[in-house]
Each structure stands twice: as structure tokens, then as C-alpha cells.
Amino acid sequence: MIEPLTVYTLPNCMQCTMTVRALDAANLPYTVIDLTTDTRATDLMHQFGYTTAPVVIARVVSWSGFRPDRIAKITALRNHPTLTSE
């Protein structure tokens, strides 16, 4: 089973909305953190060098912006035997 992704978002952010919709369509689990209400998360994103939202953090990869290619890759790997067996 794939661990939930963490999606750092901003209100009224079109790329954030599109990312969440794509994750929903792919049936990928995720947790949303609003960067306007969590200053620690905002500081952390800046420390990692991210300057735009959304920021998506997965187990071994992270990115910012709407990246349907990355979502598709995670979706394709979701049922990969070496990733799902412990």
C-alpha cells in the first residue's frame, strides 16, 4: 500500500485545486496542509527551496506545481509488487 502523499496548498490556487482533483481521480491517498494557516510548514517549504504551491511530498519524490506526469507515475507504481510488499 502506498503511503499518503502530503500536499501543501494555498486557498484559491488553481494549480492546487487541479492537483487535488488529479489525486482524487487517481484514487491516491493524501493529506492537505494549508500554508496560510501553518507557518511551520511554510518555513519548511522555503527551507526546501519551494516558492510556489502546491508542493507535493511523496515517499521518494517531491515537486511543486501541477504535475500530472508525476501523478501518473505514482499511480502506475501504486501496484508495483516491490513497492507494495513489505
Side-chain angles (χ1 to χ4, degrees):
M1 179 176 169
I2 279 200
E3 294 177 15
L5 307 170
T6 304
V7 184
Y8 296 87
T9 65
L10 294 170
N12 302 314
C13 166
M14 183 57 71
Q15 289 192 43
C16 300
T17 300
M18 292 169 35
T19 297
V20 168
R21 286 181 182 168
L23 293 172
D24 286 340
N27 200 29
L28 291 171
Y30 61 90
T31 301
V32 173
I33 297 176
D34 184 339
L35 291 168
T36 63
T37 62
D38 190 330
T39 55
R40 288 179 47 200
T42 302
D43 292 343
L44 184 64
M45 292 304 102
H46 287 290
Q47 287 176 2
F48 288 146
Y50 291 113
T51 58
T52 61
V55 175
V56 179
I57 307 292
R59 183 182 218 180
V60 295
V61 66
S62 62
W63 69 87
S64 66
F66 177 54
R67 295 291 306 267
D69 58 321
R70 298 273 175 106
I71 294 169
K73 186 176 281 189
I74 289 174
T75 302
L77 293 173
R78 174 177 39 194
N79 295 320
H80 193 280
T82 61
L83 295 177
T84 57
S85 62
E86 298 292 325

